[in-house]
Amino acid sequence: MTPRETRPREWKRYVAVGDSLSEGLGDPLPGGSLRGWAALFAEHLRRVSPKLQFTNLAVRGYRAREALRRELDAALALQPDLVTAFIGGNDVLLNVRFDHARFADELERLVAPLARPGVTMVMSTVPDLTARSLLLPPLRGQLRRRVEAVNAVIRDVSHRHDTALLDAWYEPETRERWFWSVDRIHPSAEGHQVIAASVAALLGVPVETADRIPASGGAVLRRYTGEAAWLARYGLRVPARG
């Protein structure tokens, strides 16, 4: 990954569209609310854009079709000059068959109105969801091929609209155990931090980093236990579809 911009510009309105990844699932705060990489990225942005307005429209369970129907108009109404559109994971996980043509059309219709002149837009491929999967090898192979198919579409749309692209598929940290939450589908709190820093680096936004301090075995167990309880309560709720 190489920075797209050597000197960060100042942005006024940042809007995140997408699914549970951008909503922040896997990075719960005390009380049950979510933080997530998009909010962390907004914190990085405020170092160069102190008056930045941030709106997170992402909703868990959404595929490209739901983001197109339920997030696009709201995003356009906010007149953002910075947009992140991370979508595709549920098109892999929730569709019995991956319809390449349909996904390509839906993603195109979502991205084209947002990737306007003067708007910085960031997209991302889907990370390797099989990296820490507990699926049996045949099922894991099927899932991997679907992720690769989705990512081919995402790269094509990103290239045609000249968006910045975080190619998470090739990011080695996304294959580490600590990157994933207990459900092996959503990033952990540390994973969200990595995504936020990676997007910031892509746009040349400064990030204050600290060395990761290895947690003790007891701390890791408490974290995983807490995440498991939180995800069991909140993480499997998918909004009704209309």
Side-chain angles (χ1 to χ4, degrees):
M1 179 188 68
T2 55
R4 184 179 175 84
E5 303 180 15
T6 55
R7 294 182 61 185
R9 57 177 281 191
E10 290 194 13
W11 292 276
K12 295 179 180 179
R13 291 175 295 276
Y14 163 39
V15 174
V17 300
D19 53 29
S20 57
L21 173 64
S22 295
E23 185 186 355
L25 204 63
D27 187 20
L29 294 171
S33 61
L34 297 171
R35 182 177 55 176
W37 74 265
L40 292 167
F41 174 51
E43 292 178 13
H44 297 321
L45 286 169
R46 288 192 174 104
R47 295 193 179 97
V48 296
S49 305
K51 297 182 180 180
L52 178 82
Q53 298 176 23
F54 167 52
T55 305
N56 193 345
L57 298 175
V59 178
R60 69 192 70 180
Y62 274 21
R63 294 166 290 183
R65 68 196 65 170
E66 285 87 24
L68 176 62
R69 292 203 310 260
R70 301 173 183 172
E71 296 180 8
L72 177 58
D73 288 346
L76 291 172
L78 291 167
Q79 298 183 312
D81 53 5
L82 174 61
V83 178
T84 57
F86 286 25
I87 198 77
N90 290 312
D91 292 271
V92 171
L93 295 169
L94 299 183
N95 292 331
V96 176
R97 289 185 178 181
F98 174 62
D99 188 332
H100 184 283
R102 177 172 179 169
F103 178 69
D105 176 68
E106 291 165 347
L107 188 63
E108 170 69 23
R109 289 193 288 136
L110 174 67
V111 171
L114 294 168
R116 296 176 295 179
V119 177
T120 300
M121 187 161 186
V122 184
M123 299 176 65
S124 175
T125 56
V126 178
D128 186 359
L129 299 176
T130 69
R132 294 291 169 177
S133 175
L134 298 176
L135 292 172
L136 294 174
L139 295 175
R140 195 158 60 240
Q142 292 176 19
L143 178 60
R144 185 182 178 91
R145 287 190 292 272
R146 289 163 70 177
V147 175
E148 289 174 328
V150 163
N151 284 344
V153 174
I154 292 171
R155 292 188 188 101
D156 179 62
V157 172
S158 173
H159 177 72
R160 282 190 287 105
H161 290 283
D162 194 30
T163 80
L165 178 68
L166 177 66
D167 207 335
W169 176 264
Y170 292 115
E171 292 291 320
E173 288 180 302
T174 65
R175 289 175 166 82
E176 298 292 335
R177 183 174 183 177
W178 55 261
F179 180 87
W180 297 96
S181 188
V182 66
D183 66 358
R184 312 291 179 93
I185 296 174
H186 300 96
S188 64
E190 293 93 332
H192 280 280
Q193 292 170 21
V194 167
I195 297 169
S198 297
V199 177
L202 190 65
L203 298 184
V205 175
V207 176
E208 293 181 5
T209 59
D211 292 335
R212 181 177 288 108
I213 301 174
S216 66
V220 170
L221 179 60
R222 287 193 296 273
R223 191 194 80 188
Y224 281 178
T225 300
E227 286 182 354
W230 187 89
L231 286 164
R233 183 177 180 185
Y234 297 102
L236 299 179
R237 293 181 182 176
V238 178
R241 306 191 185 283

